[in-house]
Amino acid sequence: MNAVWLVFKEHFKNFYLIKRLAEFQLRLSNHSNYLGMAWELLNPGLQIAVYWFVFGLGMRSNAPHDGVPFIYWLIVGISMWFFVNQGVLEGTKAIASKYNHVAKMNFPLSIIPTYIVFSRFYGHIGLLAIVMVICYFAGYHPSIYTVQLLLYVPYAFILTAAISLVTSTLGVLIRDTQMAMQAFMRIVFFVSSILIVPPKGIVTDVMQLNPVYFLAESYRAAILYKDWYFISHWELAVYNIAIVIVLFIVGSILHVKYRDHFADFM
């Protein structure tokens, strides 16, 4: 468990550095675009419009889901996906792409995937704020249940960072990891409740093993359904907490074991 403590300590001691690097990375990612950081919101908006047109108007004839108009059900459930997807994919290649910049420095390598994920977290907060404003004008006003977002939003970040800690190390050791994660994240998207929730049964039971399912449904419970989701589905909440703990432990062990040899794999 020394590896776990070491990685945790590096993150705790360098929190301010993570924040500063995340802000720099966010500006760097958008500095050559005419619209700059506006793309952090425009790109998700365009994708949501396509999903609503195909799955809402096309397949469902804009029928409501559990009494909620499909468009609001969709935007709340998908609001965290753009962050999780981008965070995992960019976090996977973080060490491989940034290692040469810090190789000759006494730099805590474990924070590289974390600050890359953090750079995408700002866009998620902005998109979530816009989604809540849209829902407000649709009659879904903030309530005591909205406080749950103070649990679910940090969980989305911690989950994404934990996954990236594992995949960023694998991305150095096995270069095919980046392509494999792109394919895997497409599967994760469709095997979740973002676009459709099947009737109760074996399919739903399998989908609930996907942490993105928990995030989509918990966001909807906080904003649309007025339900204490982590209480009414406490088994699912415990399962998802366990996933994060396991990912962080495995990621820490892998990272500490191989980081002194990253130069040999680059």
Side-chain angles (χ1 to χ4, degrees):
M1 298 300 287
N2 290 335
V4 177
W5 172 246
L6 176 61
V7 172
F8 177 81
K9 186 168 61 174
E10 286 182 347
H11 280 72
F12 182 79
K13 287 185 175 180
N14 295 282
F15 178 77
Y16 180 72
L17 179 61
I18 292 172
K19 180 177 178 295
R20 289 294 301 273
L21 288 173
E23 293 170 353
F24 175 77
Q25 180 64 30
L26 182 61
R27 292 194 296 270
L28 183 65
S29 301
N30 295 283
H31 81 282
S32 61
N33 299 325
Y34 286 113
L35 296 179
M37 295 184 186
W39 282 110
E40 298 292 326
L41 300 177
L42 288 175
N43 188 46
L46 292 172
Q47 292 187 55
I48 289 172
V50 172
Y51 291 135
W52 173 68
F53 181 78
V54 174
F55 291 92
L57 292 180
M59 297 180 63
R60 296 176 54 87
S61 300
N62 212 28
H65 193 289
D66 290 340
V68 178
F70 182 78
I71 183 60
Y72 304 116
W73 184 85
L74 172 65
I75 63 175
V76 173
I78 204 174
S79 59
M80 56 75 210
W81 168 251
F82 301 105
F83 161 65
V84 173
N85 184 51
Q86 289 180 335
V88 168
L89 295 182
E90 294 186 15
T92 298
K93 60 184 180 182
I95 294 179
S97 61
K98 301 292 185 181
Y99 180 77
N100 289 334
H101 300 163
V102 298
K104 297 181 180 180
M105 302 166 54
N106 184 20
F107 190 88
L109 296 178
S110 68
I111 75 169
I112 294 179
T114 304
Y115 88 72
I116 294 295
V117 170
F118 205 161
S119 70
R120 290 299 176 185
F121 191 61
Y122 292 105
H124 173 53
I125 297 299
L127 179 62
L128 181 61
I130 292 175
V131 166
M132 293 182 67
V133 169
I134 293 173
C135 290
Y136 176 86
F137 286 107
Y140 299 99
H141 300 156
S143 66
I144 187 62
Y145 299 97
T146 311
V147 175
Q148 293 176 93
L149 291 176
L150 296 178
L151 296 176
Y152 304 141
V153 172
Y155 174 78
F157 172 78
I158 295 171
L159 172 68
T160 308
I163 295 173
S164 297
L165 182 61
V166 176
T167 59
S168 61
T169 301
L170 294 178
V172 175
L173 306 181
I174 308 170
R175 290 307 177 92
D176 289 352
T177 302
Q178 296 178 20
M179 297 302 297
M181 287 305 299
Q182 289 181 20
F184 179 70
M185 292 305 287
R186 294 190 190 101
I187 297 173
V188 167
F189 176 71
F190 288 103
V191 187
S192 68
S193 59
I194 291 177
L195 297 177
I196 186 172
V197 177
K200 296 293 183 181
I202 183 64
V203 177
T204 301
D205 293 339
V206 172
M207 287 172 61
Q208 287 181 343
L209 299 177
N210 180 358
V212 174
Y213 179 100
F214 174 77
L215 281 172
E217 292 303 300
S218 60
Y219 274 47
R220 288 170 179 144
I223 299 175
L224 300 174
Y225 293 133
K226 316 303 183 186
D227 174 40
W228 297 109
Y229 194 78
F230 71 96
I231 296 177
S232 59
H233 296 77
W234 66 268
E235 302 98 330
L236 201 56
V238 171
Y239 164 76
N240 279 272
I241 292 173
I243 285 180
V244 169
I245 294 173
V246 170
L247 284 171
F248 183 73
I249 293 174
V250 172
S252 299
I253 293 173
L254 279 175
H255 178 84
V256 172
K257 180 178 181 180
Y258 289 105
R259 70 177 177 183
D260 291 337
H261 306 286
F262 283 163
D264 300 330
F265 289 96
M266 296 296 291

